[in-house]
Amino acid sequence: MALFDDFTKKAAKVTEGAIDKTQELAGSAKLKLKIKNLETDREEVYCKLGQYYYELIKNQDNLDVVQENCQKIIDLTNQIEELKQQLDEI
């Protein structure tokens, strides 16, 4: 009878461990699903924001300001990179 009791206790421990692992995996899956849903929500907001700015720019007659500022950013970035290279040479 002691052998049967020993076997029963070991089986209960194995079952308990399996249940714990299953709950852990289920919790992990829940979190991953929540993360994925939040990422999807974020992407939708990005799309709405992009569409808003697209409509804003599309309806403007003068896009020169956008192009001028983009070129200024490129020029400033190039100047910064040149100065960093000079600094590396010192």
Side-chain angles (χ1 to χ4, degrees), residues 32-74:
K32 287 179 181 180
L33 181 60
K34 282 183 181 181
I35 290 169
K36 187 63 179 166
N37 287 337
L38 290 172
E39 288 174 342
T40 300
D41 291 347
R42 183 181 60 183
E43 290 299 319
E44 289 175 9
V45 174
Y46 277 143
C47 287
K48 288 179 184 177
L49 186 61
Q51 184 177 8
Y52 169 79
Y53 278 104
Y54 167 77
E55 293 296 328
L56 185 69
I57 291 172
K58 180 183 81 166
N59 294 328
Q60 288 183 354
D61 294 332
N62 186 1
L63 293 179
D64 292 336
V65 174
V66 174
Q67 292 173 339
E68 287 173 16
N69 284 311
C70 286
Q71 188 58 49
K72 284 181 184 177
I73 290 171
I74 291 169

